[in-house]
């Protein structure tokens, strides 16, 4: 079965050896992988080089948030790695996101390469209403997610990371070309693990997601390739 670049498989492993083994087992069933904090801090650029050598796309998920100059400088380094998607936290504010977008654009132009997509994290999909209340925002979770998505778009970003449950509202607010990358996606019958606001892959795309990020339902499956293929089959039936 041909892979689908709308499925991003999360390589949440503590060692490069474990991550490489998973990629080799999954083979051509997945074309796009997420490298997050745990793996990047353990393996660094070795994992990115490995994925690129195997013709995979890479979402480097480090969720930067700091003063605008620091984030811009860090993103210039990330943009030189050859990754396809990178992210920041939207709560860093508009000035930080504008500096981030400018840095990524300028670095890609300097290198003469395609610019990585830059997206912003809204509200983590692990957060439920009780946890969110502790933050003392005036908005509900859906309202805050949409507000942050609109702010990211105004700052020149390509899209956001958000729960699939908020994807439809983001799509309505931000238009048809805005990327919506959704963790918190679980095939029917899968454990929720530490996620709170979840849907199935089919529901996520029906709601307006452009990409889904799936980790444990693939990586902890007895047959990882078959698990990935089942998700690809599900999303191809609806879109």
């Amino acid at each position: 079965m041909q892979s689908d670049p709308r499925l991003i498989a999360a390589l949440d492993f503590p060692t490069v050896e474990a991550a490489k083994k998973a990629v080799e087992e999954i083979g051509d069933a997945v074309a796009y992988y997420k490298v997050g904090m745990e793996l990047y801090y353990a393996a660094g650029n070795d994992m990115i080089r490995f994925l690129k050598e195997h013709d995979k796309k890479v979402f480097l998920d480090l969720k930067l948030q700091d003063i605008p100059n620091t984030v811009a400088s860090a993103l210039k380094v990330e943009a030189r790695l050859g990754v396809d998607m990178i992210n920041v936290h939207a709560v860093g504010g508009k000035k930080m996101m504008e500096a981030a977008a400018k840095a990524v654009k300028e670095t890609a132009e300097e290198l003469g390469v395609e610019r990585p997509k830059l997206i912003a994290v809204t509200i983590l999909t692990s957060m439920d209403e009780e946890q969110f209340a502790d933050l003392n925002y005036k908005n509900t979770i859906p309202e805050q997610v949409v507000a942050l998505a609109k702010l990211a778009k105004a700052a020149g970003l390509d899209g956001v990371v958000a729960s699939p449950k908020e994807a439809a509202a983001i799509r309505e607010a931000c238009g048809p070309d805005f990327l919506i990358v959704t963790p918190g996606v679980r095939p029917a019958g899968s454990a929720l693990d530490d996620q709170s606001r979840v849907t199935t892959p089919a529901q996520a795309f029906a709601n307006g997601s452009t990409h889904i990020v799936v980790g444990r339902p693939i990586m902890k499956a007895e047959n990882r390739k078959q698990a990935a293929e089942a998700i690809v089959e599900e999303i191809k039936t609806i879109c």
Side-chain angles (χ1 to χ4, degrees):
M1 178 186 295
Q2 185 178 3
S3 60
D4 191 313
R6 294 172 295 180
L7 168 62
I8 303 176
L11 290 171
D12 295 328
F13 293 101
T15 68
V16 68
E17 293 79 14
K20 287 180 178 180
K21 182 175 184 290
V23 172
E24 289 165 352
E25 287 179 6
I26 294 167
D28 59 4
V30 169
Y32 213 144
Y33 283 96
K34 178 181 81 75
V35 175
M37 295 179 190
E38 180 183 22
L39 180 58
Y40 188 76
Y41 295 154
N45 297 342
D46 286 348
M47 193 66 216
I48 293 172
R49 282 192 289 268
F50 172 83
L51 289 168
K52 285 300 176 180
E53 287 167 0
H54 286 74
D55 296 320
K56 306 298 184 183
K57 299 183 78 171
V58 179
F59 169 24
L60 183 57
D61 178 28
L62 299 184
K63 302 181 180 72
L64 300 185
Q65 181 184 344
D66 210 309
I67 63 173
N69 185 64
T70 298
V71 169
S73 297
L75 284 172
K76 287 179 181 179
V77 176
E78 287 190 19
R80 292 178 179 275
L81 299 178
V83 298
D84 302 277
M85 187 183 290
I86 48 185
N87 63 0
V88 297
H89 265 293
V91 292
K94 188 177 182 182
K95 285 187 178 181
M96 187 202 78
M97 288 191 284
E98 287 175 336
K102 182 173 183 286
V104 172
K105 180 177 182 291
E106 289 179 347
T107 303
E109 290 175 348
E110 176 190 333
L111 297 175
V113 299
E114 185 176 352
R115 178 180 61 82
K117 299 296 185 184
L118 177 61
I119 60 177
V121 177
T122 55
I123 301 298
L124 298 174
T125 51
S126 60
M127 188 165 291
D128 58 21
E129 293 288 351
E130 183 178 355
Q131 296 174 71
F132 187 73
D134 292 337
L135 301 178
N136 203 31
Y137 283 109
K138 65 178 182 180
N139 291 332
T140 63
I141 289 178
E143 290 170 342
Q144 188 66 19
V145 167
V146 171
L148 291 171
K150 291 167 70 174
L151 187 66
K153 183 177 181 180
L157 272 63
D158 298 294
V160 290
V161 180
S163 160
K165 287 184 176 290
E166 286 94 50
I170 295 169
R171 178 63 61 225
E172 182 177 355
C174 296
D177 299 323
F178 199 64
L179 298 181
I180 305 175
V181 180
T182 53
V185 175
R186 293 288 185 270
S190 296
L192 296 182
D193 299 307
D194 55 2
Q195 300 289 355
S196 294
R197 305 188 329 277
V198 304
T199 68
T200 65
Q203 289 170 332
F205 285 108
N207 289 353
S209 298
T210 57
H211 299 76
I212 59 172
V213 180
V214 182
R216 278 166 282 198
I218 294 175
M219 298 306 167
K220 292 190 176 297
E222 186 174 339
N223 187 314
R224 290 167 170 165
K225 183 170 185 175
Q226 285 184 1
E229 288 175 337
I231 295 172
V232 170
E233 183 66 29
E234 179 178 349
I235 63 180
K236 283 185 181 295
T237 61
I238 68 155
C239 52

